Amino acid sequence: SLSGLIYWGFTSIWFGNHLTGNLGRTDVASVTPWLAPIVWEGTFDSRVIDSIYKQQNITIATTVFALGKYTRFLKDFLESAEEHYFVGFRVHFYLFTDQPEEVPNVKLGQERYLTVKTLPSMNRWQDISMSRMEILEKLIENELASEADYIFCLDVDTKFYGRWGVESLGRLVGVIHPWFFNVPRFLFTYEHRPKSQAYIPAGKGDYYYTGAAFGGSLKDVHNLTKTCREQMNIDTANSIEALWHEESHLNKYFLYNKPSKLLSPEYLWRDISMSSGSVKIIRFSHVAKNNAEVRPN
Ligand code: 2GW
Ligand code: MN
């Protein structure tokens, strides 16, 4: 009827986006084949999702490692986190370092906490990178149970440039590696040697996930870190080290334990100076670093 047509036109023009929550993206996949959301700008309403989580009194533990010369990244990491990372929510940073005296004095806002934990220095960088799994496993077991609801584990050679909020929370959360988000699977740098516990057969695998950011509930991330630590120990006993270290084991884990939510490369970009059509907002990015300058030997 005419009045129906007028009513339809009126509501879709005036209320379309506002009342029906008409969100979504047609230029990128925003759901996985197992129906986990892939979070992109334009797929959520930050006001709606903030108001839901505001009622829950949650704490987000966030771990970061800064050994050797990597302490130089801490100031930008922490200051930018204050501006963009779970703003308005309780965040507890756990910072692992071999040089507590190098930790900058960054003023944290209300309900934001920083605990510094001292580690012995390590010589091989692969050991630093891989030992993170065992340290996280023990942290969750020994300290976090009554302290936090969710945890994110992040690289330190990074900086926040845009909102990273409660839209990222889920039971088990992986981040699509920025180099591989529209790349065919055969190019993914999975571990393909059957001798390694991180082995993924050719033709298997869903996405290539970054080792620089992952998270979820304490229980799920505990199981992830424990499993990766065990698998890496078996590899060590068999004198093999996976191609991309713990990142390879993380990818194996996510193949058989599907993440309940994926974050798009907006949540870990390669370097702020590089742009991409689908990535409309860079929220968190690796900073350009001079490897020769910051890495030991
Ligand atoms: C030293 C020499 C070579 C490589 C790393 C390091 C190093 C790392 C270091 O001297 N001190 C340190 O604190 N780290 C920590 O390990 C720090 O938190 C850093 O963010 C993290 C990973 O090392 P990074 O950032 O140099 O490696 P990326 O950015 O190339 O990492 C990807 O691949 C790694 C595995 O090879 C990890 O999976 C990492 O999560 C990925 O982003
Ligand atoms: Mn890094």
Side-chain angles (χ1 to χ4, degrees):
S1 71
L2 182 62
S3 63
L5 194 66
I6 290 168
Y7 177 77
W8 172 81
F10 177 79
T11 51
S12 49
I13 289 166
W14 290 97
F15 300 132
N17 275 326
H18 307 283
L19 289 191
T20 60
N22 192 4
L23 288 163
R25 290 272 293 264
T26 52
D27 60 327
V28 288
S30 54
V31 67
T32 68
W34 58 94
L35 290 178
I38 308 175
V39 183
W40 293 90
E41 176 68 4
T43 61
F44 64 93
D45 185 327
S46 54
R47 286 165 309 172
V48 172
I49 204 157
D50 279 349
S51 72
I52 293 168
Y53 281 91
K54 273 283 172 197
Q55 299 162 16
Q56 295 186 19
N57 190 31
I58 49 167
T59 301
I60 301 113
T62 300
T63 61
V64 74
F65 289 73
L67 287 90
K69 292 178 179 163
Y70 278 55
T71 54
R72 70 180 58 186
F73 298 114
L74 281 169
K75 189 164 186 290
D76 276 0
F77 174 88
L78 290 169
E79 284 179 356
S80 65
E82 283 300 288
E83 247 178 273
H84 299 293
Y85 183 70
F86 288 106
V87 174
F89 290 87
R90 192 181 307 112
V91 173
H92 195 146
F93 295 98
Y94 294 84
L95 158 55
F96 294 90
T97 182
D98 57 349
Q99 294 166 89
E101 68 285 357
E102 293 294 319
V103 175
N105 198 355
V106 173
K107 193 173 164 359
L108 300 182
Q110 242 198 338
E111 294 267 65
R112 304 189 60 107
Y113 308 96
L114 173 68
T115 299
V116 178
K117 304 227 166 234
T118 307
L119 291 178
S121 302
M122 284 173 242
N123 291 327
R124 275 183 83 243
W125 68 270
Q126 293 89 342
D127 293 339
I128 298 177
S129 200
M130 292 191 299
S131 67
R132 290 188 293 178
M133 288 296 182
E134 182 168 3
I135 294 165
L136 296 172
E137 176 194 350
K138 300 292 182 273
L139 175 77
I140 297 171
E141 260 169 44
N142 301 335
E143 273 178 66
L144 295 191
S146 57
E147 294 291 320
D149 303 281
Y150 294 96
I151 181 169
F152 273 103
C153 312
L154 305 174
D155 264 21
V156 73
D157 54 334
T158 52
K159 197 173 159 181
F160 294 90
Y161 298 90
R163 174 195 164 101
W164 177 319
V166 290
E167 72 282 0
S168 66
L169 295 176
R171 186 179 55 74
L172 184 61
V173 182
V175 183
I176 300 174
H177 194 298
W179 291 13
F180 299 103
F181 83 96
N182 50 10
V183 162
R185 173 166 50 201
F186 78 93
L187 291 173
F188 291 177
T189 53
Y190 292 144
E191 175 56 71
H192 288 308
R193 293 169 297 172
K195 190 184 173 191
S196 169
Q197 299 301 308
Y199 170 61
I200 293 179
K204 280 263 161 56
D206 307 298
Y207 299 88
Y208 191 83
Y209 302 94
T210 179
F214 57 88
S217 75
L218 294 187
K219 179 168 173 282
D220 284 80
V221 177
H222 180 259
N223 194 51
L224 179 159
T225 53
K226 178 171 185 288
T227 306
C228 289
R229 191 261 305 156
E230 287 167 354
Q231 304 283 72
M232 288 189 290
N233 286 349
I234 298 173
D235 273 11
T236 305
N238 291 330
S239 318
I240 188 165
E241 190 167 270
L243 181 62
W244 286 105
H245 318 106
E246 84 298 339
E247 186 173 86
S248 304
H249 291 275
L250 179 74
N251 273 278
K252 163 82 179 285
Y253 186 84
F254 279 155
L255 171 57
Y256 298 106
N257 304 268
K258 305 284 194 218
S260 63
K261 184 177 275 185
L262 270 65
L263 305 181
S264 71
E266 295 168 0
Y267 290 82
L268 182 78
W269 196 234
R270 316 142 75 144
D271 162 351
I272 190 78
S273 68
M274 296 180 189
S275 67
S276 148
S278 334
V279 175
K280 299 194 192 305
I281 289 191
I282 297 174
R283 305 171 188 279
F284 185 54
S285 179
H286 261 114
V287 295
K289 67 174 183 288
N290 179 347
N291 283 340
E293 201 178 301
V294 293
R295 292 182 167 181
N297 31 89

